[in-house]
Amino acid sequence: MNDQMMNQPKHWLHLLPTLQTDSHKYSRGYVFIEGGYPMTGAARLAAVAAARVGAGITVLAVPEIAFQIYASQLLSIIVKPYANAATLAQLVDDERINAYLIGPGAGISEHTRSSTLDLLRTGKPVVIDADALTAFAEQPQTLADAVKGPCVLTPHAGEFAKLTGHTIAATQTLKIAQAQAAARTFNATLLLKGAVSIIASADGRILLNNNAPPTLATAGAGDVLAGLITGLLAQGMPAFEATAAACWMHGSAATLFGPGLIAEDLSPMLPAVLRTLASQANH
Ligand SMILES: NC(=O)C1=CN([C@@H]2O[C@H](COP(=O)(O)OP(=O)(O)OC[C@H]3O[C@@H](n4cnc5c(N)ncnc54)[C@H](OP(=O)(O)O)[C@@H]3O)[C@@H](O)[C@H]2O)[C@@H](O)CC1
Ligand SMILES: Nc1ncnc2c1ncn2[C@@H]1O[C@H](COP(=O)(O)OP(=O)(O)O)[C@@H](O)[C@H]1O
């Protein structure tokens, strides 16, 4: 594979968020994540990752029934319960929010579908992951028609097949073509996750991420990655570069941790990853 296509810091280092001396939490980036029930771990993993990668404020909106579960194990993440679609809409409609994430642990349902469409209607950056992708398996065009602003879709091979109706091809060249076609169809950045992940933009750009160790094949690793992408989007990075940077940080964090990795271990490795990137940026 062409070396130029390999995801490396040179592709996005200059776009990483930088702190200003007068930064405040809202100016650093406000992430809004919809959490589901009963699978509550996934959105929590994503929220912590978004905060660790530098978002100044991360809010998790959760069904009232799940509030105590979420809130009892999160300190810096703000958990907001909602009772119904109207109260959720009020939480979504906060002009200070910079990027949204939906899908981890969301459940495949009409609620997930309509919530995803509501987020896309804002025109702000939206990351659509996991169940929020599968929820559109029977109606991908509805999703494609709804994309207005920057959008990142993050399927693994199974989710990609369900959403597009195409089983993943056997060769890397064909997989790249599939990812490129899907990015165009949905007018979004498409991250096809795997041992080598493919990052495709709607305008045809491609990067391949090959720094991920197989220890990442563990439940929740994708949820962390979705949180990283959202955190970088909230800080103003463009969708393609935010996705590439997040993939690289994710792989790097896993490599740094080494054997025995579970998804919770990734975010605590981020400060070291970010420190290394900051020193590269200063040279
Ligand atoms: N702690 C928590 O709360 C966690 C909650 N989580 C939440 O769980 C929900 C469901 O997530 P999910 O990933 O299990 O997806 P799902 O739609 O059931 O599809 C899986 C099927 O697809 C296929 N498949 C093919 N290729 C594949 C591949 N490369 N990687 C994976 N699968 C591949 C394979 O089928 P097969 O090919 O074997 O027939 C497989 O059976 C979602 O909300 C997520 O956020 C998790 O994140 C974990 C931590
Ligand atoms: N064999 C592997 N080698 C390297 N990275 C992998 C491997 N398997 C999975 N990954 C990475 O781990 C993450 C798994 O995400 P995903 O399948 O969405 O899991 P989950 O839904 O449990 O969070 C992706 O970033 C993927 O690229």
Side-chain angles (χ1 to χ4, degrees):
M1 216 32 79
N2 178 350
D3 249 18
Q4 278 310 310
M5 286 170 73
M6 291 304 169
N7 182 27
Q8 287 166 14
K10 68 175 181 191
H11 293 113
W12 37 261
L13 198 59
H14 58 295
L15 293 170
L16 283 182
T18 48
L19 276 175
Q20 309 305 317
T21 48
D22 60 351
S23 295
H24 59 75
K25 65 187 174 195
Y26 290 104
S27 69
R28 287 188 69 188
Y30 183 157
V31 164
F32 184 95
I33 300 175
E34 285 197 29
Y37 178 78
M39 250 188 294
T40 62
R44 283 187 280 176
L45 286 165
V48 171
R52 272 278 182 227
V53 82
I57 170 162
T58 303
V59 165
L60 250 172
V62 307
E64 234 168 28
I65 185 174
F67 175 73
Q68 291 193 8
I69 299 168
Y70 278 96
S72 65
Q73 214 216 5
L74 291 169
L75 299 177
S76 47
I77 309 302
I78 298 165
V79 185
K80 296 189 176 177
Y82 66 84
N84 52 45
T87 46
L88 175 59
Q90 280 169 7
L91 297 179
V92 166
D93 184 25
D94 183 331
E95 64 183 24
R96 297 170 302 180
I97 295 170
N98 301 110
Y100 296 94
L101 166 63
I102 185 163
I108 300 161
S109 65
E110 176 53 34
H111 171 80
T112 297
R113 232 181 345 264
S114 65
S115 295
T116 305
L117 297 176
D118 287 344
L119 298 187
L120 289 169
R121 235 170 254 125
T122 66
K124 294 183 192 175
V126 183
V127 178
I128 305 177
D129 184 40
D131 293 342
L133 294 166
T134 307
F136 288 94
E138 305 300 321
Q139 39 184 297
Q141 195 58 44
T142 308
L143 178 59
D145 290 344
V147 173
K148 287 204 306 192
C151 180
V152 182
L153 310 181
T154 57
H156 57 54
E159 289 155 350
F160 185 92
K162 284 181 226 164
L163 180 65
T164 63
H166 300 297
T167 308
I168 288 292
T171 70
Q172 191 69 285
T173 309
L174 289 176
K175 276 187 212 168
I176 291 171
Q178 285 182 310
Q180 238 162 356
R184 252 193 319 273
T185 301
F186 291 99
N187 193 24
T189 294
L190 188 125
L191 168 61
L192 177 53
K193 294 180 292 192
V196 175
S197 292
I198 302 170
I199 304 146
S201 72
D203 61 11
R205 284 172 293 162
I206 287 286
L207 284 173
L208 304 181
N209 191 74
N210 71 348
N211 79 341
T215 47
L216 277 172
T218 182
D223 305 315
V224 172
L225 179 55
L228 292 176
I229 299 169
T230 316
L232 292 174
L233 282 172
Q235 293 172 82
M237 277 186 91
F240 181 72
E241 285 82 0
T243 306
C247 282
W248 193 92
M249 291 174 187
H250 191 237
S252 192
T255 303
L256 214 53
F257 185 85
L261 177 88
I262 58 173
E264 286 94 324
D265 299 323
L266 290 166
S267 286
M269 301 313 290
L270 275 176
V273 172
L274 293 172
R275 205 174 295 124
T276 305
L277 287 169
S279 71
Q280 281 184 41
N282 291 331
H283 284 105

